Amino acid sequence: MSTSSSATHRFFVYAPDKTEPGTLERRLSVREKHLVGAKVSHESGFIRIGGAVTTPDAITNPDAPKNMVGSTFLFEAESIDQVKKYIENDIYYTSGVWDPEKIVILPFFSAFPLP
């Protein structure tokens, strides 16, 4: 948990990509910008963990391309609104990669200590 005087909570985020043609290409074209922002937020402790969600063939067929189909995160924040604002300002959201109608942001309580 954060050492600030305000209480922090953990939030799970699932941000699936849109399924329309060209979404993966759009994701790849802005990926570096997304990763730069995510790295800063991870280093500050705001993003505890995050990464891409892929199709199952990414592990069942190691030679297949890793087709990213969304993102998932675990945030540590003071409010769900703080997380929502971050998601809505991410380049994947603003460039039309993530499907805003399907994004899930929920409080998360870990059964085990986080690394």
Side-chain angles (χ1 to χ4, degrees):
M1 294 292 231
S2 172
T3 58
S4 72
S5 61
S6 299
T8 59
H9 309 279
R10 293 189 178 132
F11 298 93
F12 168 81
V13 175
Y14 171 57
D17 290 358
K18 292 180 177 179
T19 57
E20 64 195 37
T23 299
L24 179 59
E25 292 76 15
R26 202 165 39 255
R27 174 187 260 271
L28 295 174
S29 74
V30 297
R31 187 168 188 254
E32 286 307 313
K33 187 170 182 179
H34 164 78
L35 291 174
V36 167
K39 182 178 184 212
V40 169
S41 293
H42 179 262
E43 289 172 350
S44 75
F46 183 54
I47 295 176
R48 293 297 305 262
I49 191 165
V53 178
T54 67
T55 55
D57 60 326
I59 55 174
T60 59
N61 181 358
D63 296 327
K66 295 191 177 20
N67 291 322
M68 294 174 275
V69 295
S71 304
T72 189
F73 301 90
L74 187 60
F75 284 88
E76 190 155 328
E78 292 177 17
S79 71
I80 199 166
D81 290 333
Q82 187 180 14
V83 175
K84 185 177 179 188
K85 181 178 178 183
Y86 178 89
I87 292 297
E88 289 175 348
N89 286 299
D90 188 284
I91 190 73
Y92 282 169
Y93 187 98
T94 61
S95 67
V97 174
W98 289 333
D99 187 335
E101 301 300 316
K102 295 181 180 174
I103 292 174
V104 174
I105 304 173
L106 295 170
F108 175 82
F109 296 90
S110 181
F112 305 101
L114 292 174

